[in-house]
Amino acid sequence: MRLVLLGAPGSGKGTQATKIVDRHNIAHLSTGDMLRAAAASGSATGKALQDKMKRGELVSDDTVVAIVAERLGQDGIDNGYILDGFPRTVGQAIALDKVLAERGEKLDAVIELQVVASDLIDRIVARAAQAKAKGEPVRADDNPETFKLRLQAYEEQTAPLVDYYGSKGVLKSVNGMQPMDQVTTAIQSAIGN
Ligand code: AMP
């Protein structure tokens, strides 16, 4: 099964992706995680990535497409995968279509987590507080100021993907404002369990 998970920052993508991965035994390909790992490398490129992410800006299409294409060429995806946080622009979606076509693959579904933007800020503040309470590191971009910029990037650059995938007939929209378990159930029925 090959899936894309689409949703604003704080919409619960990471949490839901983990549940889908466990249930279907597929790989979790989070570009946020891949970019944070690349940013932590300490190289000049890593530092530039870190600066962009800290500012809540999107990394360039070329950079992220290259990272995803490389990952798709590696082991561990025979059973399928979920792309969490990719694509995030129409340019990335077109590049993904090309990579998939070259591999003779296609997406089974694009799951959109629909959320109310104004409620997300509370989720981000809660996520940062929870991480802190557990002694885990708090993401540098999980603060209200950067969050607003991430949300703006989503609305301007990523939201057009809803129409892009809608017109291809693969879009499954789910109400992401429900309690977490209900979101999971709704996703399961959208993708046929
Ligand atoms: P996430 O963990 O998905 O919230 O991503 C954290 C940050 O990584 C984003 O705010 C962007 O700076 C960067 N990022 C993740 N995925 C992408 C992508 N597909 N395109 C561009 N930037 C991305």
Side-chain angles (χ1 to χ4, degrees):
M1 185 182 297
R2 286 176 288 271
L3 304 169
V4 162
L5 189 55
L6 205 61
S11 61
K13 288 193 303 295
T15 307
Q16 295 301 334
T18 305
K19 287 175 182 282
I20 298 167
V21 161
D22 289 349
R23 191 174 177 90
H24 295 279
N25 191 27
I26 56 178
H28 184 181
L29 308 186
S30 156
T31 46
D33 286 349
M34 293 177 205
L35 289 165
R36 277 184 287 278
S41 71
S43 67
T45 316
K47 176 83 179 60
L49 284 176
Q50 207 168 40
D51 288 347
K52 263 200 175 274
M53 292 166 78
K54 250 192 201 158
R55 286 198 299 268
E57 292 171 17
L58 292 187
V59 167
S60 77
D61 284 357
D62 286 352
T63 302
V64 77
V65 167
I67 288 179
V68 171
E70 187 186 352
R71 178 63 188 90
L72 290 178
Q74 293 168 351
D75 292 343
I77 58 161
D78 289 349
N79 209 26
Y81 48 83
I82 182 162
L83 289 163
D84 163 8
F86 178 90
R88 250 176 162 101
T89 65
V90 172
Q92 291 178 18
I94 292 169
L96 175 62
D97 285 346
K98 205 167 150 234
V99 172
L100 290 173
E102 282 164 7
R103 298 168 59 87
E105 295 176 353
K106 65 184 186 57
L107 295 173
D108 293 292
V110 174
I111 305 155
E112 178 209 4
L113 294 179
Q114 289 181 321
V115 287
V116 179
S118 54
D119 291 354
L120 293 178
I121 194 118
D122 294 340
R123 284 198 185 183
I124 284 283
V125 170
R127 177 159 89 184
Q130 270 168 15
K132 209 172 164 192
K134 283 196 236 161
E136 294 169 357
V138 176
R139 276 174 53 171
D141 58 355
D142 266 358
N143 61 75
E145 293 72 34
T146 311
F147 179 75
K148 282 182 197 144
L149 297 171
R150 289 165 60 204
L151 198 54
Q152 193 181 341
Y154 180 81
E155 281 165 358
E156 289 174 3
Q157 299 179 75
T158 310
L161 292 179
V162 171
D163 283 346
Y164 181 87
Y165 285 120
S167 68
K168 287 180 179 282
V170 285
L171 187 73
K172 311 275 181 195
S173 297
V174 165
N175 174 6
M177 299 308 291
Q178 308 171 84
M180 196 173 72
D181 288 348
Q182 288 178 30
V183 177
T184 307
T185 306
I187 292 174
Q188 281 165 6
S189 63
I191 61 175
N193 249 345

